[in-house]
Amino acid sequence: MPLNIFQDRDGLPRIILTEPKGSSAEVLLYGGQIVSWKNHRKEELLFMSSKANWKQHKAIKGGISACFARFGDLGSLEQHGFARNRMWSLDRDPSPLPPLDNQSSVDLILKSTKVDLKTPHSFEFRLRISLNADKLILIPRVRNTDNKAFSFSFALRNYLSGSDISEVRIEGLETLDFFDNLMNRSRFTEQADALTFDGEIDRVYLHSPNKIAIIDHEKKRTFVLQKKGMPDAVVWNPWAKKAKAIPDLGDDDYKIMICMSSAAIETPVLLKPSEEWMGYQELSTVSSSYCSGQLDPRKVLYGFH
């Protein structure tokens, strides 16, 4: 399927993916960032900051972006890595990956440069973004093209659109250990049977399941996040006070955003020369009347029987 590429009004190359049933996605070559994902009813499924400044040619707060790389450093994901602020290229020779029916895809590539002091290692970072009727799939791959081994932490940072953050609950993180970045990365165990929001949160959940359900009671919609190769999950919301201090975030934006990342943080990925790491993330939505008891979120997590 030929790619639909155009220069948007701010001069950024933008790729439009569409599929026969009407859903769409928009991808910027700058940062390899997905800035829109709409279902067949044209409903926007991703959050975008009301203060997003498209003219500054820097990463936009919102959408989906890759946090890569913090070489050999656990660090905080708030520093995001440098891939979000680089111009990517179309990958003209992508490796064969399993096709999906009615799939619309784009393959992007980011290579290290010798003049960039922030990339001390030589690598190739490839990202396939695929859209079909009810799913958005990202397949990141990092190849070590250096002559020595290196390790890195990684995350796919998903800003999902919500109705009211106080009406959102996340199923699948119960009983897990997590690092709390608000308490100097102290380690705790999740005691609640579901994660809900009533204040600032910045946590790295360790060894999380491959499937997580994000349930929006008010919109009666559940996001299903499936992942492989990224064992951790990051949940972040700045809440009211900190939101006002973030220049590119609207004061009330925290109320309608769900920031959920698939990540490899606790144990950085180690790559020997010529080795390649591959991750996988699939986002989908299901209609949810959970608040009236018609959908058990555990069936979303563990399958319908």
Side-chain angles (χ1 to χ4, degrees), residues 232-243:
D232 306 320
V234 183
V235 183
W236 176 69
N237 190 289
W239 217 248
K241 182 178 180 180
K242 190 166 287 186

Side-chain angles (χ1 to χ4, degrees), residues 219-292:
K219 285 195 173 181
K220 296 181 173 60
R221 179 173 67 200
T222 295
F223 288 99
V224 182
L225 171 66
Q226 298 189 67
K227 58 187 179 64
K228 298 176 183 176
M230 293 174 283
D232 306 320
V234 183
V235 183
W236 176 69
N237 190 289
W239 217 248
K241 182 178 180 180
K242 190 166 287 186
K244 293 178 180 179
I246 299 175
D248 58 347
L249 189 69
D251 289 355
D252 293 326
D253 282 355
Y254 76 94
K255 297 178 181 179
I256 56 172
M257 67 173 229
I258 309 162
C259 189
M260 179 94 201
S261 303
S262 305
I265 297 176
E266 183 189 27
T267 303
V269 178
L270 175 63
L271 283 183
K272 296 177 182 178
S274 300
E275 282 188 340
E276 182 179 80
W277 166 84
M278 183 170 72
Y280 177 92
Q281 176 183 279
E282 177 183 304
L283 279 169
S284 59
T285 60
V286 295
S287 297
S288 170
S289 299
Y290 172 69
C291 45
S292 61

Side-chain angles (χ1 to χ4, degrees), residues 10 12 28-33 35 48 51-62 65 82-87 246-249:
D10 297 311
L12 294 173
L28 296 182
L29 282 183
Y30 189 84
Q33 186 171 4
V35 294
M48 186 58 63
K51 287 188 175 180
N53 190 335
W54 301 89
K55 295 182 179 180
Q56 288 187 349
H57 286 210
K58 68 175 186 178
I60 306 299
K61 192 172 292 301
S65 58
F82 53 80
R84 299 166 71 250
N85 290 295
R86 295 292 182 275
M87 184 63 75
I246 299 175
D248 58 347
L249 189 69

Side-chain angles (χ1 to χ4, degrees), residues 10 97 101 104 130 143 187 202 205 208 211 219 247 256 258 284 292 300:
D10 297 311
L97 295 171
D101 293 338
S104 177
S130 300
R143 179 174 293 278
R187 186 166 181 149
D202 187 357
Y205 284 87
S208 59
K211 187 181 288 189
K219 285 195 173 181
I256 56 172
I258 309 162
S284 59
S292 61
V300 176

